[in-house]
Amino acid sequence: MSRNRLAQWSNYVLLSLITLIILYPMLYMILNSLRSTKDIMLFPTRLWPTGKLQWMNYADAFHIGKVSVYFLNSVTVTGATLLIQLIVVTLAAYALGKWKPPGYQILFFLFLATLMITSEMTTIPVFLMLRQFDLLNTHQGLILAYVGGGIGMAIYLIKNFVDTLPKEMEEAAKIDGAGLLRIFWSIDLPLIVPVLAVVSIMSFVGVWSEFFWALITISEDRLKTLPLGLLNFQSQYNTNYGVLLAGLTIVTIPSMLVYLLFSRYFIEGMTAGSIKG
């Protein structure tokens, strides 16, 4: 019993240390967003503000730093990306898993091959393609870049989940005269909601905080997303760290809330596909 209790306490201590290491940078960012730039420069390692809490940092981020404009742009780009990506990958993965058209194994292999290609390797081809279609400096071009970049992993997850769906209900529906689309919409789609939640969370977190593609495709200030717009808080000779950290907090909180609110679905989606039948 003493050994088991010692092992449990060792696990608790280890998990607590890992949690502290992960949460400390986030805690530092949030608490320092309530400090003045002068206070941060004088005492950079201190967590808690020495004087009055600088809530004006958030007001300055919205009004002076135009975070409200960037926030709306991020909502638009992220929402459109999620909608288009879910429609495309759900239909593609379902077709590969259930309907199995001619050459579906080759198509699935090609989708998997995209997982081995980093975004940096496709930067120049995608950039030239967007320029050719006059989609640079537009939200449409940025959305297409995001949708294309996340298709491989999404199809892989959904297709593997579709392979585990029971066939008895589908066979009964076919006997009753239901067509392929009817079976998909009424029977299989509700069953794959957990894995769709996983894909949605992963896509949201990736697109919401993405910086690289936004940097190379968007140049007009009114079209910038939130991570890209935070560059306005920095200059060659001066950086308003308090307002910058407030902006970073605004970027981070939505991703944290989405994961905390939908973590149950995330865990269910990641584990359900591992059980056959």
Side-chain angles (χ1 to χ4, degrees):
M1 291 294 295
S2 59
R3 289 184 177 179
N4 291 337
R5 186 170 299 178
L6 179 62
Q8 289 180 353
W9 278 106
S10 300
N11 291 333
Y12 291 148
V13 171
L14 179 61
L15 290 175
S16 299
L17 289 175
I18 294 175
T19 303
L20 181 62
I21 293 173
I22 295 174
L23 293 182
Y24 180 81
M26 193 172 301
L27 183 64
Y28 181 89
M29 175 186 67
I30 295 173
L31 293 179
N32 277 271
S33 69
L34 299 174
R35 299 172 62 188
S36 64
T37 299
K38 179 180 179 180
D39 191 20
I40 295 174
M41 295 296 292
L42 290 176
F43 308 101
T45 59
R46 181 178 296 171
L47 279 180
W48 193 256
T50 56
K52 184 179 179 181
L53 297 180
Q54 300 296 315
W55 294 104
M56 283 300 296
N57 287 340
Y58 287 88
D60 291 341
F62 273 97
H63 296 293
I64 301 176
K66 297 185 291 185
V67 164
S68 57
V69 176
Y70 307 141
F71 189 91
L72 181 60
N73 290 336
S74 289
V75 170
T76 302
V77 171
T78 304
T81 301
L82 284 178
L83 178 62
I84 297 173
Q85 193 173 78
L86 282 178
I87 293 174
V88 171
V89 300
T90 301
L91 294 176
Y94 186 81
L96 291 173
K98 285 292 183 181
W99 300 343
K100 301 185 187 307
Y104 76 95
Q105 292 178 329
I106 297 176
L107 289 175
F108 186 58
F109 175 78
L110 292 177
F111 283 125
L112 291 181
T114 63
L115 300 179
M116 296 178 283
I117 302 175
T118 63
S119 60
E120 290 77 11
M121 295 172 64
T122 60
T123 299
I124 295 178
V126 173
F127 180 86
L128 294 177
M129 182 178 65
L130 293 177
R131 188 179 66 177
Q132 182 70 25
F133 289 99
D134 198 23
L135 289 175
L136 286 179
N137 204 36
T138 64
H139 284 163
Q140 293 90 331
L142 185 59
I143 291 169
L144 288 176
Y146 287 155
V147 171
I151 281 181
M153 176 59 73
I155 289 180
Y156 172 75
L157 292 174
I158 299 174
K159 193 265 182 186
N160 286 343
F161 194 94
V162 169
D163 289 339
T164 66
L165 295 179
K167 299 180 180 179
E168 290 77 8
M169 290 188 294
E170 297 178 18
E171 295 173 353
K174 289 180 181 179
I175 294 175
D176 292 337
L180 294 176
L181 292 178
R182 181 67 176 178
I183 294 174
F184 164 73
W185 183 260
S186 301
I187 297 176
D188 289 335
L189 184 58
L191 295 177
I192 64 175
V193 166
V195 73
L196 294 182
V198 173
V199 172
S200 299
I201 294 173
M202 294 174 61
S203 180
F204 176 88
V205 173
V207 174
W208 181 264
S209 58
E210 203 281 329
F211 176 80
F212 178 73
W213 281 107
L215 178 64
I216 65 174
T217 58
I218 301 296
S219 58
E220 289 190 28
D221 190 63
R222 63 182 181 86
L223 297 175
K224 291 181 179 179
T225 55
L226 198 49
L228 183 59
L230 294 181
L231 286 178
N232 293 345
F233 298 127
Q234 303 180 68
S235 64
Q236 182 177 359
Y237 303 104
N238 184 36
T239 299
N240 193 334
Y241 288 105
V243 179
L244 176 61
L245 290 172
L248 290 173
T249 302
I250 296 171
V251 174
T252 306
I253 286 179
S255 298
M256 294 173 55
L257 291 178
V258 166
Y259 181 78
L260 290 175
L261 292 175
F262 299 99
S263 59
R264 178 171 65 89
Y265 302 100
F266 184 83
I267 296 172
E268 289 179 1
M270 292 298 291
T271 57
S274 63
I275 302 175
K276 291 288 184 181

